[in-house]
Amino acid sequence: MQREIPNQRVAPLLDALDQTDKAVVRRAVEELVALAAEEPEVAQVLAQRLREAPRWPVAYVLGQITRPSAACLEVLEWGLGSGDQDLRWATQLLLTDLGKRYSEVQARLEDLLRQGTPTQRRMAVYCLRDVGAAGAGLPGAVLQAIADPEPLVRVAVITTLAKTSEPQRGALDSLRKAAADDPDARVRNAAAFAVKQLSGPRTRLP
C-alpha cells in the first residue's frame, strides 16, 4: 500500500511534465523534487518513466534528486544542444552542479566538447568553465577547443580563458595566435581582448 501512494501522487505531476506550458512544467518539476525528499520511491518511478520515454523534463528532475544514470545524462546532453534557450541554460546550470560533484559528469562534458554538436560543444565549455571555477581547474580539453571549427565555440573558449585566475600553460600563446590568425573577426576581437587581460600585472604564466 505504501508503495502505491507515491505513484498516485506522482502520476498527475508526470502528466504535467508533458505539457507545453513552461510554467506548468516548472511547477511540476519543483513539486516532484520536493516530493522526492519525502518519498525515496519517487526516484524509482521517474527512472522507470525515463526508460519508457526518455524526455528532458524527467531527466531534469532526476538530475536534481539522485546521482544521474548514463541514460539520464544522455537526455541532459541533448538538452545542452536544444534550440530552446531556456531549456538549454537550465541544463547548463544542472550539469555544472552535477559536474562539481561527480567525476563521470565532468568526463562526459569533456567528451561532449570533442564530439557534440556545435551548440553542445559551446555549452559544454560554459559547464566546464564553472566546474573549474569551483576548484577543479579547467581541463585541457577546453584549451584544445580553441581550434574548434565552430567560431562561437572558439569565442566561448577565449572568454573562458580571459576570466581564468590561473591560466593554463600555453594559453597566452594560443590566444595571441587566435588574435592574429583566426579567420573570424569575432574570434580575433575576443582573443585580442583576452590577451590584454592576461598580459596584465596579475598574469601568473611563466
Side-chain angles (χ1 to χ4, degrees), residues 67-109:
R67 189 169 191 156
S69 65
C72 179
L73 288 174
E74 184 175 349
V75 177
L76 291 176
E77 288 170 359
W78 169 86
L80 275 188
S82 171
D84 185 320
Q85 182 176 355
D86 292 336
L87 187 153
R88 199 165 61 237
W89 285 104
T91 305
Q92 188 265 334
L93 291 173
L94 177 57
L95 284 174
T96 294
D97 178 64
L98 293 170
K100 293 174 183 177
R101 291 186 283 150
Y102 305 120
S103 59
E104 69 270 20
V105 176
Q106 179 171 339
R108 288 187 69 124
L109 287 168

Side-chain angles (χ1 to χ4, degrees), residues 2 38-39 43 46 61 88 95 113 126 167:
Q2 291 181 344
E38 303 171 4
E39 303 283 358
L46 287 164
V61 176
R88 199 165 61 237
L95 284 174
L113 179 54
Y126 298 135

Side-chain angles (χ1 to χ4, degrees), residues 7 18 22 37 95 122 174:
N7 284 280
D18 291 329
K22 290 184 178 181
L95 284 174
R122 176 165 56 87
S174 296

Side-chain angles (χ1 to χ4, degrees), residues 7-195:
N7 284 280
Q8 292 172 355
R9 296 175 66 184
V10 166
L13 296 176
L14 287 177
D15 291 340
L17 292 181
D18 291 329
Q19 300 301 310
T20 57
D21 188 319
K22 290 184 178 181
V24 172
V25 174
R26 189 179 303 113
R27 285 195 297 271
V29 167
E30 293 171 353
E31 291 183 33
L32 282 165
V33 171
L35 182 58
E38 303 171 4
E39 303 283 358
E41 296 90 344
V42 170
Q44 300 173 16
V45 175
L46 287 164
Q48 178 61 34
R49 171 59 71 94
L50 188 70
R51 287 191 289 271
E52 296 170 353
R55 299 186 64 252
W56 181 85
V58 179
Y60 184 67
V61 176
L62 273 171
Q64 295 182 67
I65 65 177
T66 188
R67 189 169 191 156
S69 65
C72 179
L73 288 174
E74 184 175 349
V75 177
L76 291 176
E77 288 170 359
W78 169 86
L80 275 188
S82 171
D84 185 320
Q85 182 176 355
D86 292 336
L87 187 153
R88 199 165 61 237
W89 285 104
T91 305
Q92 188 265 334
L93 291 173
L94 177 57
L95 284 174
T96 294
D97 178 64
L98 293 170
K100 293 174 183 177
R101 291 186 283 150
Y102 305 120
S103 59
E104 69 270 20
V105 176
Q106 179 171 339
R108 288 187 69 124
L109 287 168
E110 292 182 37
D111 287 341
L112 199 64
L113 179 54
R114 289 186 286 263
Q115 304 174 15
T117 66
T119 301
Q120 285 175 323
R121 299 197 304 273
R122 176 165 56 87
M123 298 303 293
V125 171
Y126 298 135
C127 290
L128 291 167
R129 174 198 66 192
D130 294 340
V131 170
L138 280 178
V142 173
L143 180 56
Q144 294 170 9
I146 201 170
D148 192 280
E150 169 57 44
L152 290 180
V153 176
R154 302 199 297 276
V155 169
V157 171
I158 288 165
T159 56
T160 292
L161 294 174
K163 296 178 180 179
T164 303
S165 59
E166 296 185 9
Q168 295 167 290
R169 186 182 299 274
L172 195 54
D173 288 342
S174 296
L175 289 168
R176 285 174 175 148
K177 185 176 187 304
D181 301 334
D182 197 280
D184 191 287
R186 295 167 296 179
V187 178
R188 292 196 303 274
N189 292 337
F193 177 79
V195 169

